[in-house]
């Protein structure tokens, strides 16, 4: 399998967009492993300081050091550290994926994000809504329907054009197939917009996946070092 396709499959495994062939096989196996939600305790990180450190590892300290940090509790995400630079760092759990993803209920997923102000305002509400629905015990079908209804009623904000995040944590666990993938940056763009960036074309460093449930395309560019400055070893 070409290296670029391996990268795209790995990305797809997290954002929840399917490719044919082997990817379907992986998704079917994962679906059997995670058919329903695990007990909430399995999604929680016992030490708040550990979750703060993990969240901040999403971006270099020059960004994450001044960011607000959210941690997951039994009542939802709460502010553990106040910030002043407009960024918010958070460890997303598996329900950051689309509800049709086979690992939507995996308690293993730890995906540190450090979101800029535009993403905090217009992307984070989508994830926090999913979190509230998960904690309320809703099924994947109910969560999908609730999101669709919220979009129809314009209860979720439209994405701002410069919404982006850092995902450069060496400790990330994005899927069982790609526990620690590549450090990268992501941009959130409304609708199906891959062609507008020329993404996924030969020689183009930008990868993209359309996420219809979240009404967006996620663009990604891999970088050559982790947030702590250490280089990626290929």
């Amino acid at each position: 399998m070409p290296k670029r396709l391996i990268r795209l499959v790995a990305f797809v495994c997290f954002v929840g967009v399917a490719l044919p062939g082997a990817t379907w096989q992986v998704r079917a196996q994962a679906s059997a492993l995670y058919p329903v939600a695990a007990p909430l305790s399995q999604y929680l990180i016992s030490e708040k300081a550990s979750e703060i450190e993990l969240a901040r590892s999403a971006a270099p300290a020059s960004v994450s050091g001044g960011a607000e940090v959210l941690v997951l509790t039994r009542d939802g995400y709460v502010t553990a550290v106040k910030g002043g630079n407009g960024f918010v760092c958070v460890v997303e759990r598996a329900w950051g994926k689309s509800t049709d993803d086979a690992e939507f209920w995996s308690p293993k997923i730890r995906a540190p994000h450090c979101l800029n102000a535009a993403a905090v305002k217009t992307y984070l509400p989508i994830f926090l809504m999913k979190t509230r629905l998960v904690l309320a015990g809703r099924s994947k079908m109910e969560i999908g329907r609730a999101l669709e209804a919220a979009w129809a009623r314009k209860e979720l904000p439209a994405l701002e054009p410069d919404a982006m995040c850092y995902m450069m944590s060496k400790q990330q666990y994005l899927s069982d197939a790609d526990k620690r993938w590549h450090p990268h940056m992501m941009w959130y763009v409304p609708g199906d917009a891959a062609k507008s960036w020329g993404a996924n074309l030969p020689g183009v460093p930008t990868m993209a996946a359309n996420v219809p449930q979240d009404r967006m395309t996620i663009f990604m560019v891999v970088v050559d070092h982790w947030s702590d400055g250490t280089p990626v070893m290929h």
Side-chain angles (χ1 to χ4, degrees):
M1 184 181 290
K3 193 173 191 179
R4 181 174 180 79
L5 183 54
I6 291 172
R7 287 183 169 184
L8 186 55
V9 167
F11 178 45
V12 161
C13 285
F14 182 69
V15 300
V17 182
L19 288 177
T23 306
W24 277 112
Q25 205 167 21
V26 170
R27 287 164 63 89
Q29 292 168 349
S31 185
L33 288 173
Y34 312 110
V36 296
L40 178 57
S41 60
Q42 294 186 30
Y43 298 105
L44 299 174
I45 296 175
S46 57
E47 296 293 332
K48 183 170 76 170
S50 297
E51 184 159 1
I52 292 171
E53 181 180 0
L54 181 57
R56 280 183 164 157
S57 72
S62 57
V63 171
S64 62
E68 179 177 345
V69 180
L70 305 183
V71 298
L72 181 64
T73 72
R74 291 185 175 275
D75 297 317
Y77 280 93
V78 300
T79 299
V81 180
K82 292 184 178 180
N85 64 0
F87 283 83
V88 170
C89 296
V90 57
V91 181
E92 286 198 3
R93 295 341 194 243
W95 53 83
K97 302 171 181 283
S98 296
T99 55
D100 63 352
D101 192 280
E103 292 185 70
F104 184 84
W105 292 127
S106 171
K108 302 175 186 177
I109 303 302
R110 301 288 185 268
H113 289 55
C114 207
L115 307 156
N116 73 348
V120 170
K121 181 180 176 182
T122 59
Y123 164 78
L124 187 59
I126 302 170
F127 176 68
L128 294 181
M129 180 180 176
K130 288 183 181 180
T131 300
R132 290 192 295 271
L133 293 165
V134 166
L135 296 183
R138 300 292 188 264
S139 68
K140 290 199 291 184
M141 183 177 293
E142 290 172 327
I143 293 169
R145 288 174 176 172
L147 286 168
E148 190 64 29
W151 286 117
R153 293 193 296 264
K154 301 186 185 301
E155 294 173 352
L156 291 169
L159 288 168
E160 292 192 352
D162 56 346
M164 59 78 64
C165 82
Y166 294 95
M167 288 188 70
M168 298 174 62
S169 175
K170 194 181 290 184
Q171 289 77 48
Q172 65 187 0
Y173 191 117
L174 303 187
S175 74
D176 287 346
D178 298 281
K179 299 176 178 64
R180 192 181 80 175
W181 192 54
H182 297 275
H184 55 284
M185 300 172 65
M186 301 201 307
W187 288 261
Y188 307 102
V189 177
D192 186 355
K195 289 183 179 179
S196 70
W197 284 40
N200 304 331
L201 295 176
V204 175
T206 308
M207 289 174 269
N210 183 31
V211 189
Q213 188 172 70
D214 293 344
R215 306 287 180 91
M216 69 177 68
T217 297
I218 297 178
F219 291 94
M220 179 188 63
V221 174
V222 171
V223 298
D224 63 0
H225 62 280
W226 301 101
S227 62
D228 64 2
T230 57
V232 175
M233 304 303 292
H234 296 288

